[in-house]
PDB file of all heavy atoms in Angstrom:
ATOM      1  N   GLY G  24      31.130 -25.501  -2.059  1.00 89.00           N
ATOM      2  CA  GLY G  24      31.873 -25.750  -0.837  1.00 89.00           C
ATOM      3  C   GLY G  24      32.347 -24.462  -0.179  1.00 89.00           C
ATOM      4  O   GLY G  24      32.232 -24.283   1.034  1.00 89.00           O
ATOM      5  N   ILE G  25      32.853 -23.540  -0.983  1.00 91.00           N
ATOM      6  CA  ILE G  25      33.305 -22.263  -0.436  1.00 91.00           C
ATOM      7  C   ILE G  25      32.126 -21.434   0.053  1.00 91.00           C
ATOM      8  O   ILE G  25      32.187 -20.824   1.123  1.00 91.00           O
ATOM      9  CB  ILE G  25      34.131 -21.497  -1.490  1.00 91.00           C
ATOM     10  CG1 ILE G  25      35.456 -22.212  -1.712  1.00 91.00           C
ATOM     11  CG2 ILE G  25      34.351 -20.052  -1.076  1.00 91.00           C
ATOM     12  CD1 ILE G  25      36.264 -21.664  -2.857  1.00 91.00           C
ATOM     13  N   THR G  26      31.051 -21.419  -0.710  1.00 92.00           N
ATOM     14  CA  THR G  26      29.876 -20.627  -0.318  1.00 92.00           C
ATOM     15  C   THR G  26      29.253 -21.162   0.970  1.00 92.00           C
ATOM     16  O   THR G  26      28.982 -20.385   1.899  1.00 92.00           O
ATOM     17  CB  THR G  26      28.837 -20.636  -1.443  1.00 92.00           C
ATOM     18  OG1 THR G  26      29.441 -20.137  -2.634  1.00 92.00           O
ATOM     19  CG2 THR G  26      27.636 -19.803  -1.094  1.00 92.00           C
ATOM     20  N   VAL G  27      29.044 -22.441   1.044  1.00 92.00           N
ATOM     21  CA  VAL G  27      28.423 -23.029   2.224  1.00 92.00           C
ATOM     22  C   VAL G  27      29.358 -22.904   3.434  1.00 92.00           C
ATOM     23  O   VAL G  27      28.933 -22.510   4.522  1.00 92.00           O
ATOM     24  CB  VAL G  27      28.056 -24.508   1.964  1.00 92.00           C
ATOM     25  CG1 VAL G  27      27.639 -25.215   3.240  1.00 92.00           C
ATOM     26  CG2 VAL G  27      26.931 -24.588   0.937  1.00 92.00           C
ATOM     27  N   GLY G  28      30.633 -23.190   3.245  1.00 92.00           N
ATOM     28  CA  GLY G  28      31.591 -23.097   4.348  1.00 92.00           C
ATOM     29  C   GLY G  28      31.731 -21.674   4.866  1.00 92.00           C
ATOM     30  O   GLY G  28      31.771 -21.434   6.076  1.00 92.00           O
ATOM     31  N   GLY G  29      31.804 -20.708   3.959  1.00 91.00           N
ATOM     32  CA  GLY G  29      31.912 -19.306   4.371  1.00 91.00           C
ATOM     33  C   GLY G  29      30.681 -18.812   5.103  1.00 91.00           C
ATOM     34  O   GLY G  29      30.782 -18.068   6.090  1.00 91.00           O
ATOM     35  N   THR G  30      29.517 -19.227   4.638  1.00 92.00           N
ATOM     36  CA  THR G  30      28.277 -18.833   5.293  1.00 92.00           C
ATOM     37  C   THR G  30      28.170 -19.439   6.684  1.00 92.00           C
ATOM     38  O   THR G  30      27.787 -18.759   7.644  1.00 92.00           O
ATOM     39  CB  THR G  30      27.067 -19.266   4.443  1.00 92.00           C
ATOM     40  OG1 THR G  30      27.191 -18.665   3.155  1.00 92.00           O
ATOM     41  CG2 THR G  30      25.767 -18.851   5.077  1.00 92.00           C
ATOM     42  N   ILE G  31      28.538 -20.704   6.798  1.00 94.00           N
ATOM     43  CA  ILE G  31      28.473 -21.373   8.099  1.00 94.00           C
ATOM     44  C   ILE G  31      29.411 -20.719   9.098  1.00 94.00           C
ATOM     45  O   ILE G  31      29.018 -20.414  10.228  1.00 94.00           O
ATOM     46  CB  ILE G  31      28.772 -22.873   7.957  1.00 94.00           C
ATOM     47  CG1 ILE G  31      27.640 -23.564   7.229  1.00 94.00           C
ATOM     48  CG2 ILE G  31      29.005 -23.516   9.316  1.00 94.00           C
ATOM     49  CD1 ILE G  31      27.941 -24.989   6.839  1.00 94.00           C
ATOM     50  N   ILE G  32      30.661 -20.486   8.703  1.00 93.00           N
ATOM     51  CA  ILE G  32      31.611 -19.922   9.667  1.00 93.00           C
ATOM     52  C   ILE G  32      31.220 -18.495  10.052  1.00 93.00           C
ATOM     53  O   ILE G  32      31.355 -18.096  11.201  1.00 93.00           O
ATOM     54  CB  ILE G  32      33.067 -19.999   9.167  1.00 93.00           C
ATOM     55  CG1 ILE G  32      34.011 -19.844  10.352  1.00 93.00           C
ATOM     56  CG2 ILE G  32      33.363 -18.972   8.107  1.00 93.00           C
ATOM     57  CD1 ILE G  32      35.405 -20.326  10.116  1.00 93.00           C
ATOM     58  N   GLN G  33      30.699 -17.734   9.109  1.00 91.00           N
ATOM     59  CA  GLN G  33      30.264 -16.364   9.416  1.00 91.00           C
ATOM     60  C   GLN G  33      29.120 -16.385  10.442  1.00 91.00           C
ATOM     61  O   GLN G  33      29.149 -15.671  11.440  1.00 91.00           O
ATOM     62  CB  GLN G  33      29.817 -15.667   8.119  1.00 91.00           C
ATOM     63  CG  GLN G  33      29.391 -14.255   8.294  1.00 91.00           C
ATOM     64  CD  GLN G  33      30.546 -13.283   8.378  1.00 91.00           C
ATOM     65  OE1 GLN G  33      31.697 -13.640   8.284  1.00 91.00           O
ATOM     66  NE2 GLN G  33      30.223 -12.037   8.558  1.00 91.00           N
ATOM     67  N   ASN G  34      28.122 -17.213  10.197  1.00 92.00           N
ATOM     68  CA  ASN G  34      26.972 -17.281  11.100  1.00 92.00           C
ATOM     69  C   ASN G  34      27.331 -17.862  12.459  1.00 92.00           C
ATOM     70  O   ASN G  34      26.862 -17.389  13.498  1.00 92.00           O
ATOM     71  CB  ASN G  34      25.841 -18.080  10.465  1.00 92.00           C
ATOM     72  CG  ASN G  34      25.230 -17.365   9.288  1.00 92.00           C
ATOM     73  OD1 ASN G  34      25.300 -16.148   9.179  1.00 92.00           O
ATOM     74  ND2 ASN G  34      24.646 -18.127   8.378  1.00 92.00           N
ATOM     75  N   GLU G  35      28.166 -18.897  12.463  1.00 93.00           N
ATOM     76  CA  GLU G  35      28.545 -19.519  13.725  1.00 93.00           C
ATOM     77  C   GLU G  35      29.413 -18.589  14.571  1.00 93.00           C
ATOM     78  O   GLU G  35      29.273 -18.539  15.792  1.00 93.00           O
ATOM     79  CB  GLU G  35      29.264 -20.845  13.488  1.00 93.00           C
ATOM     80  CG  GLU G  35      28.360 -21.941  12.952  1.00 93.00           C
ATOM     81  CD  GLU G  35      27.287 -22.350  13.932  1.00 93.00           C
ATOM     82  OE1 GLU G  35      27.582 -22.466  15.149  1.00 93.00           O
ATOM     83  OE2 GLU G  35      26.145 -22.553  13.506  1.00 93.00           O
ATOM     84  N   LEU G  36      30.312 -17.842  13.931  1.00 91.00           N
ATOM     85  CA  LEU G  36      31.136 -16.908  14.686  1.00 91.00           C
ATOM     86  C   LEU G  36      30.284 -15.779  15.269  1.00 91.00           C
ATOM     87  O   LEU G  36      30.548 -15.326  16.382  1.00 91.00           O
ATOM     88  CB  LEU G  36      32.256 -16.335  13.817  1.00 91.00           C
ATOM     89  CG  LEU G  36      33.420 -17.272  13.522  1.00 91.00           C
ATOM     90  CD1 LEU G  36      34.395 -16.622  12.559  1.00 91.00           C
ATOM     91  CD2 LEU G  36      34.112 -17.705  14.790  1.00 91.00           C
ATOM     92  N   LYS G  37      29.275 -15.353  14.540  1.00 90.00           N
ATOM     93  CA  LYS G  37      28.376 -14.323  15.077  1.00 90.00           C
ATOM     94  C   LYS G  37      27.651 -14.824  16.332  1.00 90.00           C
ATOM     95  O   LYS G  37      27.390 -14.061  17.248  1.00 90.00           O
ATOM     96  CB  LYS G  37      27.342 -13.893  14.035  1.00 90.00           C
ATOM     97  CG  LYS G  37      27.897 -12.972  12.989  1.00 90.00           C
ATOM     98  CD  LYS G  37      26.804 -12.550  12.024  1.00 90.00           C
ATOM     99  CE  LYS G  37      27.343 -11.644  10.958  1.00 90.00           C
ATOM    100  NZ  LYS G  37      26.309 -11.251   9.983  1.00 90.00           N
ATOM    101  N   LYS G  38      27.338 -16.118  16.370  1.00 91.00           N
ATOM    102  CA  LYS G  38      26.649 -16.678  17.531  1.00 91.00           C
ATOM    103  C   LYS G  38      27.601 -16.953  18.694  1.00 91.00           C
ATOM    104  O   LYS G  38      27.225 -16.795  19.847  1.00 91.00           O
ATOM    105  CB  LYS G  38      25.958 -17.996  17.158  1.00 91.00           C
ATOM    106  CG  LYS G  38      24.731 -17.829  16.312  1.00 91.00           C
ATOM    107  CD  LYS G  38      23.924 -19.103  16.207  1.00 91.00           C
ATOM    108  CE  LYS G  38      24.709 -20.260  15.692  1.00 91.00           C
ATOM    109  NZ  LYS G  38      23.884 -21.447  15.360  1.00 91.00           N
ATOM    110  N   ARG G  39      28.824 -17.372  18.391  1.00 92.00           N
ATOM    111  CA  ARG G  39      29.710 -17.900  19.421  1.00 92.00           C
ATOM    112  C   ARG G  39      30.717 -16.900  19.997  1.00 92.00           C
ATOM    113  O   ARG G  39      31.195 -17.102  21.096  1.00 92.00           O
ATOM    114  CB  ARG G  39      30.477 -19.100  18.867  1.00 92.00           C
ATOM    115  CG  ARG G  39      29.573 -20.243  18.482  1.00 92.00           C
ATOM    116  CD  ARG G  39      30.361 -21.353  17.820  1.00 92.00           C
ATOM    117  NE  ARG G  39      29.514 -22.373  17.264  1.00 92.00           N
ATOM    118  CZ  ARG G  39      29.017 -23.397  17.938  1.00 92.00           C
ATOM    119  NH1 ARG G  39      29.294 -23.539  19.207  1.00 92.00           N
ATOM    120  NH2 ARG G  39      28.251 -24.286  17.342  1.00 92.00           N
ATOM    121  N   LEU G  40      31.070 -15.878  19.256  1.00 90.00           N
ATOM    122  CA  LEU G  40      32.057 -14.908  19.761  1.00 90.00           C
ATOM    123  C   LEU G  40      31.440 -14.018  20.831  1.00 90.00           C
ATOM    124  O   LEU G  40      30.237 -13.739  20.780  1.00 90.00           O
ATOM    125  CB  LEU G  40      32.593 -14.051  18.624  1.00 90.00           C
ATOM    126  CG  LEU G  40      33.557 -14.727  17.667  1.00 90.00           C
ATOM    127  CD1 LEU G  40      33.865 -13.814  16.489  1.00 90.00           C
ATOM    128  CD2 LEU G  40      34.841 -15.107  18.385  1.00 90.00           C
ATOM    129  N   PRO G  41      32.234 -13.573  21.776  1.00 89.00           N
ATOM    130  CA  PRO G  41      31.715 -12.630  22.787  1.00 89.00           C
ATOM    131  C   PRO G  41      31.229 -11.350  22.091  1.00 89.00           C
ATOM    132  O   PRO G  41      31.865 -10.841  21.177  1.00 89.00           O
ATOM    133  CB  PRO G  41      32.941 -12.348  23.666  1.00 89.00           C
ATOM    134  CG  PRO G  41      33.885 -13.471  23.412  1.00 89.00           C
ATOM    135  CD  PRO G  41      33.621 -13.949  22.036  1.00 89.00           C
ATOM    136  N   HIS G  42      30.092 -10.842  22.557  1.00 88.00           N
ATOM    137  CA  HIS G  42      29.463  -9.687  21.901  1.00 88.00           C
ATOM    138  C   HIS G  42      30.321  -8.425  22.006  1.00 88.00           C
ATOM    139  O   HIS G  42      30.339  -7.607  21.080  1.00 88.00           O
ATOM    140  CB  HIS G  42      28.075  -9.450  22.482  1.00 88.00           C
ATOM    141  CG  HIS G  42      27.127 -10.552  22.169  1.00 88.00           C
ATOM    142  ND1 HIS G  42      26.669 -10.781  20.895  1.00 88.00           N
ATOM    143  CD2 HIS G  42      26.572 -11.510  22.954  1.00 88.00           C
ATOM    144  CE1 HIS G  42      25.862 -11.827  20.898  1.00 88.00           C
ATOM    145  NE2 HIS G  42      25.778 -12.296  22.148  1.00 88.00           N
ATOM    146  N   ASP G  43      31.043  -8.244  23.115  1.00 87.00           N
ATOM    147  CA  ASP G  43      31.918  -7.078  23.242  1.00 87.00           C
ATOM    148  C   ASP G  43      33.039  -7.110  22.204  1.00 87.00           C
ATOM    149  O   ASP G  43      33.396  -6.082  21.622  1.00 87.00           O
ATOM    150  CB  ASP G  43      32.520  -7.013  24.649  1.00 87.00           C
ATOM    151  CG  ASP G  43      31.460  -6.836  25.715  1.00 87.00           C
ATOM    152  OD1 ASP G  43      30.370  -6.321  25.389  1.00 87.00           O
ATOM    153  OD2 ASP G  43      31.721  -7.215  26.874  1.00 87.00           O
ATOM    154  N   PHE G  44      33.590  -8.289  21.977  1.00 87.00           N
ATOM    155  CA  PHE G  44      34.651  -8.439  20.987  1.00 87.00           C
ATOM    156  C   PHE G  44      34.108  -8.287  19.572  1.00 87.00           C
ATOM    157  O   PHE G  44      34.728  -7.669  18.705  1.00 87.00           O
ATOM    158  CB  PHE G  44      35.323  -9.797  21.157  1.00 87.00           C
ATOM    159  CG  PHE G  44      36.402 -10.072  20.157  1.00 87.00           C
ATOM    160  CD1 PHE G  44      37.594  -9.369  20.197  1.00 87.00           C
ATOM    161  CD2 PHE G  44      36.236 -11.021  19.177  1.00 87.00           C
ATOM    162  CE1 PHE G  44      38.604  -9.618  19.267  1.00 87.00           C
ATOM    163  CE2 PHE G  44      37.223 -11.270  18.251  1.00 87.00           C
ATOM    164  CZ  PHE G  44      38.410 -10.572  18.301  1.00 87.00           C
ATOM    165  N   LEU G  45      32.941  -8.825  19.322  1.00 86.00           N
ATOM    166  CA  LEU G  45      32.318  -8.776  18.001  1.00 86.00           C
ATOM    167  C   LEU G  45      31.918  -7.354  17.617  1.00 86.00           C
ATOM    168  O   LEU G  45      31.902  -7.008  16.431  1.00 86.00           O
ATOM    169  CB  LEU G  45      31.098  -9.703  17.979  1.00 86.00           C
ATOM    170  CG  LEU G  45      30.529 -10.085  16.640  1.00 86.00           C
ATOM    171  CD1 LEU G  45      31.576 -10.751  15.770  1.00 86.00           C
ATOM    172  CD2 LEU G  45      29.356 -11.027  16.853  1.00 86.00           C
ATOM    173  N   ALA G  46      31.654  -6.512  18.597  1.00 85.00           N
ATOM    174  CA  ALA G  46      31.232  -5.132  18.321  1.00 85.00           C
ATOM    175  C   ALA G  46      32.354  -4.292  17.722  1.00 85.00           C
ATOM    176  O   ALA G  46      32.091  -3.238  17.156  1.00 85.00           O
ATOM    177  CB  ALA G  46      30.728  -4.489  19.605  1.00 85.00           C
ATOM    178  N   GLN G  47      33.600  -4.753  17.805  1.00 84.00           N
ATOM    179  CA  GLN G  47      34.737  -4.024  17.240  1.00 84.00           C
ATOM    180  C   GLN G  47      34.714  -4.012  15.710  1.00 84.00           C
ATOM    181  O   GLN G  47      35.318  -3.151  15.089  1.00 84.00           O
ATOM    182  CB  GLN G  47      36.053  -4.657  17.678  1.00 84.00           C
ATOM    183  CG  GLN G  47      36.298  -4.653  19.146  1.00 84.00           C
ATOM    184  CD  GLN G  47      37.582  -5.401  19.472  1.00 84.00           C
ATOM    185  OE1 GLN G  47      38.441  -5.604  18.610  1.00 84.00           O
ATOM    186  NE2 GLN G  47      37.713  -5.813  20.713  1.00 84.00           N
ATOM    187  N   PHE G  48      34.041  -4.983  15.133  1.00 82.00           N
ATOM    188  CA  PHE G  48      34.055  -5.151  13.675  1.00 82.00           C
ATOM    189  C   PHE G  48      32.752  -4.643  13.085  1.00 82.00           C
ATOM    190  O   PHE G  48      31.677  -4.956  13.583  1.00 82.00           O
ATOM    191  CB  PHE G  48      34.278  -6.622  13.332  1.00 82.00           C
ATOM    192  CG  PHE G  48      35.532  -7.164  13.928  1.00 82.00           C
ATOM    193  CD1 PHE G  48      35.503  -7.864  15.132  1.00 82.00           C
ATOM    194  CD2 PHE G  48      36.751  -6.943  13.322  1.00 82.00           C
ATOM    195  CE1 PHE G  48      36.661  -8.342  15.697  1.00 82.00           C
ATOM    196  CE2 PHE G  48      37.915  -7.427  13.880  1.00 82.00           C
ATOM    197  CZ  PHE G  48      37.880  -8.118  15.071  1.00 82.00           C
ATOM    198  N   PRO G  49      32.820  -3.867  12.002  1.00 80.00           N
ATOM    199  CA  PRO G  49      31.601  -3.318  11.417  1.00 80.00           C
ATOM    200  C   PRO G  49      30.738  -4.407  10.769  1.00 80.00           C
ATOM    201  O   PRO G  49      31.236  -5.469  10.405  1.00 80.00           O
ATOM    202  CB  PRO G  49      32.119  -2.329  10.367  1.00 80.00           C
ATOM    203  CG  PRO G  49      33.495  -2.784  10.055  1.00 80.00           C
ATOM    204  CD  PRO G  49      34.018  -3.452  11.290  1.00 80.00           C
ATOM    205  N   ASP G  50      29.452  -4.122  10.630  1.00 76.00           N
ATOM    206  CA  ASP G  50      28.552  -5.060   9.967  1.00 76.00           C
ATOM    207  C   ASP G  50      28.934  -5.192   8.498  1.00 76.00           C
ATOM    208  O   ASP G  50      29.386  -4.247   7.873  1.00 76.00           O
ATOM    209  CB  ASP G  50      27.106  -4.563  10.072  1.00 76.00           C
ATOM    210  CG  ASP G  50      26.559  -4.704  11.474  1.00 76.00           C
ATOM    211  OD1 ASP G  50      27.075  -5.544  12.230  1.00 76.00           O
ATOM    212  OD2 ASP G  50      25.610  -3.967  11.808  1.00 76.00           O
ATOM    213  N   GLY G  51      28.749  -6.381   7.977  1.00 70.00           N
ATOM    214  CA  GLY G  51      29.044  -6.619   6.585  1.00 70.00           C
ATOM    215  C   GLY G  51      30.468  -7.072   6.301  1.00 70.00           C
ATOM    216  O   GLY G  51      30.781  -7.446   5.184  1.00 70.00           O
TER     217      GLY G  51
END
């Protein structure tokens, strides 16, 4: 549950957050 939930939220946030805002955070 934690693994699947964490993976989903990570991938969905990468798709849905504005790219300018997302660029503030390093990869990984």
Side-chain angles (χ1 to χ4, degrees):
I25 290 172
T26 303
V27 170
T30 302
I31 290 170
I32 198 161
Q33 182 80 1
N34 291 336
E35 290 295 319
L36 285 175
K37 283 182 181 178
K38 287 192 304 190
R39 297 175 189 275
L40 286 173
H42 294 291
D43 297 336
F44 178 69
L45 196 57
Q47 298 176 19
F48 303 96
D50 288 337

